[in-house]
Amino acid sequence: MNNIHPIFDKLLTKSDKELFLNQRGIVLWFTGLSGSGKSTIAEGLEKLLFSKGYFVQVLDGDNTRTGINKNLGFSIKDREENIRRVAEISKLFIDSGVICINSFVSPTIEIRQKAKDIIGSENFIEVFVNTPLEVCEARDVKGLYKKARAGEIKGFTGIDSPFESPLKADVELLTANQTVEESIHDVFNKVIKRLSL
Ligand code: ADP
């Protein structure tokens, strides 16, 4: 083991891993209504960053609610636990130097603050995907608004459960008058400095 670089003699830190990956381990926390564009932009941003040599992980309802959080529903208590676990998981990713893009409705200021407290404010970039309810409802990507309006889904954010907009998000994306590509480049340009060493 003598020929190993001295850096490996001690426990590796976040900075060691950031140096190795040549990037900052940080969380981009996307919040916004269902259908606002969080997942579409998160996936596009992941590909764009990856093509430029950044190492990124996207966390969303699809890859967390089907696995680690599959025992949770949409009550306030379960939404809080959902976000708490996601925040703890992202913390592990960023401690490994990975850029974590989290795409969650995370509807209240309090719930997002809890995530920020777990992750650490210096590692947390809040991205508000600000799309008016009417636009989200007209898109109705998954047909969920129609079901919520028909009373088939209870407690749907924006319909019969509140969404509190961030008071001062680090980044705000107004997707209603942008193409998907424009939104992806918009967020890229606004965050890229903070992802780089
Ligand atoms: P969310 O993850 O917030 O629930 P999705 O990304 O699943 O939302 O859905 C957003 C829908 O809006 C997609 O069908 C997407 O193609 C469409 N869309 C239209 N314009 C934009 C834009 N500028 N940014 C993101 N999505 C957009």
Side-chain angles (χ1 to χ4, degrees):
M1 298 290 271
N2 294 340
N3 55 351
I4 291 181
H5 191 278
I7 198 173
F8 295 115
D9 286 350
K10 59 183 171 60
L11 274 182
L12 293 176
T13 64
K14 182 174 190 249
S15 335
D16 295 328
K17 293 177 183 180
E18 288 179 327
L19 272 176
F20 181 85
L21 291 169
N22 193 28
Q23 64 182 32
R24 289 244 310 124
I26 206 160
V27 174
L28 299 172
W29 190 282
F30 282 43
T31 178
L33 291 167
S34 174
S36 57
K38 299 180 298 299
S39 295
T40 304
I41 300 169
E43 284 162 21
L45 180 64
E46 179 186 41
K47 288 202 178 77
L48 181 60
L49 286 169
F50 198 73
S51 75
K52 293 182 185 292
Y54 292 85
F55 195 62
V56 185
Q57 174 69 43
V58 172
L59 294 179
D60 60 17
D62 287 344
N63 62 14
T64 55
R65 280 195 177 270
T66 49
I68 191 156
N69 288 349
K70 70 178 169 192
N71 60 329
L72 300 175
F74 291 88
S75 66
I76 296 289
K77 204 166 153 267
D78 279 7
R79 281 178 192 257
E80 275 177 17
E81 178 59 9
N82 182 47
I83 296 302
R84 188 191 68 78
R85 288 186 200 169
V86 167
E88 292 288 359
I89 294 165
S90 4
K91 196 161 176 249
L92 297 175
F93 273 111
I94 65 169
D95 282 346
S96 295
V98 177
I99 295 161
C100 207
I101 307 180
N102 291 358
S103 165
F104 294 92
V105 175
S106 43
T108 64
I109 290 173
E110 190 186 349
I111 222 167
R112 294 188 296 269
Q113 186 60 47
K114 279 189 182 154
K116 191 172 180 172
D117 289 344
I118 290 170
I119 291 162
S121 58
E122 70 285 10
N123 295 319
F124 187 95
I125 302 177
E126 188 173 56
V127 179
F128 178 24
V129 184
N130 187 359
T131 310
L133 177 63
E134 312 80 75
V135 176
C136 297
E137 198 166 352
R139 289 177 182 167
D140 209 4
V141 195
K142 297 174 187 157
L144 297 175
Y145 283 97
K146 197 161 171 243
K147 285 190 181 161
R149 289 286 183 200
E152 290 164 31
I153 304 176
K154 301 275 179 229
F156 195 72
T157 306
I159 306 296
D160 56 351
S161 183
F163 179 82
E164 297 170 3
S165 297
L167 299 178
K168 204 177 174 305
D170 298 291
V171 174
E172 187 172 357
L173 301 176
L174 301 167
T175 78
N177 300 312
Q178 284 182 329
T179 64
V180 169
E181 281 308 308
E182 284 169 343
S183 296
I184 293 165
H185 283 91
D186 191 6
V187 63
F188 177 86
N189 290 330
K190 286 172 173 160
V191 300
I192 192 65
K193 268 203 186 128
R194 291 193 63 189
L195 310 184
S196 308
L197 288 181

